Amino acid sequence: MTAAPVSTPGPTTMAAAPGTTWLPRLLLANLVVEVLIVVTGGLVRLTGSGLGCPTWPQCVPGSFTPVPHQAEGYHRYIEYGNRTLTSVVSIAALLAVVAVWRWADRRRDLLVPAFVVLGGVAVQAVLGGITVLTGLSPLTVAAHFLVSMVLVASAAFLYFRAQEPAGPRQLLVHPLAERLGWAACAVGAVVLALGTVVTGSGPHSGDAKEPARFGFDPRTVSWLHADAVMLFVGLVLAAWVAARLTGTGAAPARAWAAVAAVTVAQGVVGYTQYFTGLPWPVVVLHMLLATLLVVALTRAVVRQRATTGDA
């Protein structure tokens, strides 16, 4: 009799390649910390701690960390905590670049947004310093937030696009539906920009003692912001309906439904903060939802197409 051949593990029984495990984890971590630093930055502003560390890059002259009996009190710890988180964000962005380089075959469609996030973190650090040195100028505060939104969108695109293989991507919805999606993104950007004007015209400008504001009437700019939101809601609903009617598969419609859900939640919170006198916990939630809306919009745009043969 002959001995039965010894079987060897096939590809399906082998341990998963490191890239299939670590790449999505690192890209998700990169996205999460980008969202987190927006929220902590909002806490800095809403607690009046924007000048808790009155100099930059040092916290106070002669020290990079808060010192005892500092005049800024507890505000120094809030501002310093946000500055410290910048190091975590930098490490996450660097690891995302390394992960794409090593485990994603250096795909250009992933390397570009990965480097955008890494470079943007450095830009944000400098812009944050300028914001402190200019006494929390509302222009630099607004720019600081809007650049953060670009980085969140880039990190989100990186995470969701990496879930698909490389290669040509085909449209899963009617071209008009895709245009509606891009129009919603454009109006969404306007909504975010107007939101910074509303913030810069209201009570939460960043410093508890000497608030810096644009000088616009808060009620007027709030109405303008709300008008832009109404247009945005209409475009989101139109994109969702178009994706349902013309989409190949359910992914595009599900993605736009998620955008609509976040938009509704954001609207409820927005009106709540307006009619309750802008309590800072509600404003923080409003900022978090704004960031998640950017994530949802990015996901919806990505899901409108799929790699050929992967739809």
Side-chain angles (χ1 to χ4, degrees):
M1 295 182 64
T2 58
V6 178
S7 61
T8 57
T12 58
T13 60
M14 297 288 287
T20 61
T21 301
W22 284 105
L23 180 63
R25 291 179 179 177
L26 290 173
L27 298 186
L28 179 59
N30 184 43
L31 174 57
V32 169
V33 296
E34 285 293 344
V35 172
L36 182 60
I37 199 168
V38 173
V39 175
T40 60
L43 284 172
V44 170
R45 176 171 55 80
L46 294 168
T47 57
S49 304
L51 295 178
C53 286
T55 63
W56 187 88
Q58 296 179 324
C59 181
V60 292
S63 176
F64 285 92
T65 60
V67 298
H69 311 298
Q70 191 175 323
E72 287 74 20
Y74 71 90
H75 296 295
R76 66 187 187 272
Y77 297 115
I78 298 175
E79 165 64 5
Y80 182 71
N82 188 62
R83 291 191 184 189
T84 302
L85 187 58
T86 301
S87 301
V88 178
V89 174
S90 302
I91 293 171
L94 179 60
L95 289 176
V97 172
V98 172
V100 171
W101 189 272
R102 181 173 181 180
W103 292 312
D105 299 323
R106 305 176 186 179
R107 286 170 50 181
R108 180 179 175 83
D109 60 333
L110 300 183
L111 277 176
V112 171
F115 275 112
V116 167
V117 175
L118 181 60
V121 170
V123 171
Q124 280 290 70
V126 175
L127 187 55
I130 295 173
T131 301
V132 171
L133 297 176
T134 56
L136 304 182
S137 164
L139 285 174
T140 57
V141 171
H144 202 41
F145 175 78
L146 294 176
V147 172
S148 291
M149 293 298 98
V150 173
L151 300 189
V152 169
S154 299
F157 177 87
L158 179 61
Y159 174 67
F160 294 119
R161 182 67 183 92
Q163 296 173 6
E164 301 177 13
R169 306 183 74 226
Q170 64 181 7
L171 191 60
L172 302 182
V173 295
H174 190 277
L176 178 59
E178 185 184 39
R179 295 190 191 102
L180 284 171
W182 282 112
C185 292
V187 175
V190 173
V191 168
L192 290 173
L194 288 174
T196 65
V197 178
V198 173
T199 298
S201 303
H204 299 302
S205 61
D207 183 58
K209 295 181 179 179
E210 297 181 9
R213 300 190 178 98
F214 279 118
F216 300 117
D217 176 52
R219 184 182 298 271
T220 300
V221 293
S222 294
W223 285 345
L224 183 60
H225 177 63
D227 290 342
V229 169
M230 295 299 179
L231 176 59
F232 174 73
V233 170
L235 288 170
V236 168
L237 293 178
W240 172 60
V241 171
R244 280 183 59 87
L245 294 177
T246 70
T248 303
R254 283 200 302 263
W256 281 109
V259 175
V262 178
T263 301
V264 170
Q266 179 71 316
V268 171
V269 172
Y271 278 108
T272 299
Q273 69 174 10
Y274 180 79
F275 288 113
T276 57
L278 301 175
W280 72 262
V282 181
V283 180
V284 168
L285 180 58
H286 195 56
M287 290 188 66
L288 173 60
L289 286 172
T291 309
L292 295 181
L293 182 59
V294 171
V295 175
L297 279 170
T298 304
R299 176 173 176 263
V301 169
V302 172
R303 293 290 184 260
Q304 290 184 143
R305 291 179 176 267
T307 304
T308 304
D310 190 54

